[in-house]
Coordinates of all heavy atoms in Angstrom, one line a residue:
V1 N 128.8 105.1 110.5 CA 127.5 105.6 110.0 C 127.8 107.1 109.6 O 128.1 107.9 110.4 CB 126.5 105.6 111.2 CG1 125.2 106.2 110.7 CG2 126.3 104.2 111.6
V2 N 127.7 107.3 108.3 CA 127.9 108.6 107.7 C 126.7 109.5 107.7 O 126.8 110.7 107.6 CB 128.6 108.6 106.3 CG1 130.0 107.9 106.4 CG2 127.7 107.9 105.3
A3 N 125.5 108.9 107.8 CA 124.2 109.6 107.9 C 123.2 108.7 108.4 O 123.2 107.5 108.3 CB 123.8 110.2 106.5
E4 N 122.2 109.4 109.1 CA 121.0 108.7 109.5 C 119.8 109.3 108.9 O 119.8 110.5 108.6 CB 120.9 108.8 111.1 CG 122.0 108.1 111.8 CD 121.9 108.2 113.3 OE1 120.8 108.7 113.8 OE2 122.8 107.8 114.0
A5 N 118.8 108.5 108.6 CA 117.6 109.0 108.0 C 116.4 108.4 108.7 O 116.4 107.2 109.1 CB 117.5 108.5 106.5
S6 N 115.3 109.2 108.9 CA 114.1 108.7 109.6 C 113.0 108.5 108.6 O 111.9 108.0 109.0 CB 113.7 109.6 110.7 OG 113.5 110.9 110.2
T7 N 113.2 108.9 107.3 CA 112.2 108.7 106.3 C 112.8 108.1 105.0 O 114.0 108.2 104.9 CB 111.5 110.0 105.9 OG1 112.4 110.8 105.2 CG2 110.9 110.7 107.2
G8 N 112.0 107.6 104.2 CA 112.5 107.1 102.9 C 113.1 108.2 102.0 O 114.1 108.0 101.4
H9 N 112.4 109.4 102.0 CA 113.0 110.5 101.3 C 114.3 110.9 101.8 O 115.2 111.2 100.9 CB 112.0 111.7 101.3 CG 110.7 111.4 100.6 ND1 110.6 111.3 99.3 CD2 109.4 111.2 101.1 CE1 109.3 111.1 98.9 NE2 108.6 111.0 100.0
E10 N 114.5 111.0 103.1 CA 115.8 111.3 103.6 C 116.9 110.2 103.3 O 118.0 110.6 103.0 CB 115.8 111.4 105.2 CG 115.0 112.6 105.7 CD 114.9 112.6 107.2 OE1 115.4 111.7 107.9 OE2 114.2 113.5 107.7
A11 N 116.5 109.0 103.2 CA 117.4 107.9 102.9 C 117.9 108.0 101.4 O 119.1 107.9 101.1 CB 116.8 106.5 103.1
V12 N 116.9 108.3 100.5 CA 117.3 108.5 99.1 C 118.2 109.7 98.9 O 119.3 109.6 98.3 CB 116.0 108.7 98.2 CG1 116.4 109.0 96.8 CG2 115.2 107.4 98.3
E13 N 117.9 110.8 99.6 CA 118.7 112.0 99.5 C 120.2 111.7 100.0 O 121.1 112.0 99.4 CB 118.1 113.2 100.3 CG 118.8 114.5 100.1 CD 120.0 114.7 100.9 OE1 120.0 114.2 102.1 OE2 121.0 115.3 100.5
A14 N 120.3 111.1 101.2 CA 121.6 110.8 101.8 C 122.4 109.8 100.9 O 123.6 110.0 100.7 CB 121.4 110.3 103.2
A15 N 121.7 108.8 100.4 CA 122.4 107.8 99.6 C 123.0 108.4 98.3 O 124.1 108.2 97.9 CB 121.4 106.7 99.2
C16 N 122.2 109.3 97.6 CA 122.6 109.8 96.4 C 123.7 110.9 96.6 O 124.5 111.1 95.8 CB 121.4 110.3 95.6 SG 120.4 108.9 95.0
R17 N 123.6 111.7 97.7 CA 124.5 112.7 98.0 C 125.8 112.2 98.5 O 126.9 112.6 98.1 CB 123.9 113.7 99.0 CG 124.8 114.8 99.5 CD 124.1 115.8 100.4 NE 123.4 115.2 101.4 CZ 123.9 114.9 102.6 NH1 125.1 115.1 102.9 NH2 123.1 114.4 103.6
L18 N 125.8 111.2 99.4 CA 127.0 110.7 100.0 C 127.7 109.5 99.4 O 128.8 109.2 99.6 CB 126.7 110.4 101.5 CG 126.3 111.5 102.4 CD1 125.8 111.0 103.7 CD2 127.4 112.5 102.5
K19 N 126.9 108.8 98.5 CA 127.4 107.6 97.9 C 128.1 106.6 98.8 O 129.3 106.3 98.7 CB 128.4 107.9 96.7 CG 127.8 108.9 95.7 CD 126.9 108.3 94.7 CE 126.6 109.1 93.5 NZ 125.5 110.0 93.7
P20 N 127.4 106.2 99.9 CA 127.9 105.3 100.9 C 128.2 103.9 100.2 O 127.7 103.6 99.1 CB 126.9 105.2 101.9 CG 125.6 105.3 101.2 CD 125.9 106.4 100.1
D21 N 128.9 103.1 101.0 CA 129.1 101.7 100.5 C 127.8 100.9 100.6 O 127.6 100.0 99.9 CB 130.2 101.0 101.4 CG 131.5 101.7 101.2 OD1 132.0 101.8 100.1 OD2 132.1 102.1 102.2
L22 N 127.0 101.3 101.6 CA 125.8 100.5 101.9 C 124.7 101.4 102.6 O 125.1 102.3 103.4 CB 126.1 99.4 102.8 CG 125.1 98.3 103.1 CD1 124.9 97.4 101.8 CD2 125.5 97.4 104.2
V23 N 123.5 101.2 102.3 CA 122.3 101.8 103.0 C 121.6 100.6 103.7 O 121.3 99.6 103.1 CB 121.3 102.5 102.1 CG1 120.1 103.0 102.9 CG2 122.0 103.6 101.3
L24 N 121.5 100.7 105.0 CA 120.8 99.8 105.8 C 119.4 100.4 106.0 O 119.2 101.4 106.6 CB 121.5 99.6 107.2 CG 121.1 98.4 108.0 CD1 121.3 97.1 107.2 CD2 121.9 98.4 109.3
M25 N 118.4 99.8 105.3 CA 117.1 100.4 105.1 C 116.0 99.6 105.8 O 115.7 98.5 105.5 CB 116.8 100.3 103.6 CG 115.5 100.9 103.1 SD 115.4 102.6 103.1 CE 116.5 103.0 101.7
D26 N 115.4 100.3 106.8 CA 114.2 99.8 107.4 C 113.1 99.7 106.3 O 113.0 100.6 105.5 CB 113.8 100.7 108.6 CG 112.6 100.2 109.3 OD1 112.2 99.0 109.2 OD2 111.9 101.0 110.0
I27 N 112.3 98.7 106.4 CA 111.2 98.5 105.4 C 110.1 99.4 105.7 O 109.5 100.0 104.8 CB 110.8 97.0 105.3 CG1 111.9 96.2 104.7 CG2 109.5 96.9 104.5 CD1 111.7 94.7 104.7
S28 N 109.8 99.6 106.9 CA 108.6 100.4 107.3 C 109.0 101.8 107.7 O 109.2 102.1 108.9 CB 107.9 99.7 108.5 OG 107.5 98.4 108.2
L29 N 109.1 102.6 106.7 CA 109.4 104.1 106.9 C 108.2 104.9 106.5 O 107.4 104.5 105.7 CB 110.6 104.5 106.0 CG 112.0 103.9 106.3 CD1 113.0 104.2 105.3 CD2 112.5 104.3 107.7
P30 N 108.0 106.0 107.2 CA 106.9 106.9 106.9 C 107.0 107.6 105.5 O 108.2 107.8 105.1 CB 106.9 107.9 108.0 CG 108.3 107.9 108.5 CD 108.9 106.6 108.3
G31 N 105.9 107.9 104.9 CA 105.9 108.5 103.6 C 106.4 107.5 102.6 O 105.6 106.6 102.2
L32 N 107.6 107.7 102.1 CA 108.2 106.7 101.1 C 108.7 105.5 101.9 O 109.7 105.7 102.7 CB 109.3 107.5 100.4 CG 109.9 106.8 99.2 CD1 108.9 106.6 98.1 CD2 111.2 107.5 98.8
D33 N 108.1 104.4 101.8 CA 108.5 103.2 102.6 C 109.9 102.7 102.1 O 110.4 103.2 101.0 CB 107.5 102.1 102.6 CG 107.3 101.4 101.3 OD1 108.1 101.5 100.4 OD2 106.2 100.8 101.2
G34 N 110.5 101.8 102.8 CA 111.8 101.3 102.5 C 111.9 100.6 101.1 O 112.9 100.6 100.4
V35 N 110.8 99.9 100.7 CA 110.8 99.3 99.4 C 110.8 100.3 98.3 O 111.7 100.2 97.4 CB 109.5 98.4 99.3 CG1 109.4 97.8 97.9 CG2 109.5 97.3 100.3

């Protein structure tokens, strides 16, 4: 696990900054949901 995110915005930022092999995305995230 190279990063953890608790919101959709954090997930997008981490994914684009770190370019991981995979993002495991909860669907029900606050603010910007997983979809």
Side-chain angles (χ1 to χ4, degrees):
V1 177
V2 295
E4 295 180 8
S6 60
T7 69
H9 292 290
E10 289 175 1
V12 172
E13 187 278 326
C16 291
R17 178 174 45 87
L18 298 170
K19 306 282 193 272
D21 298 302
L22 192 72
V23 175
L24 196 55
M25 179 79 71
D26 182 21
I27 293 175
S28 302
L29 294 172
L32 187 69
D33 69 21
V35 175

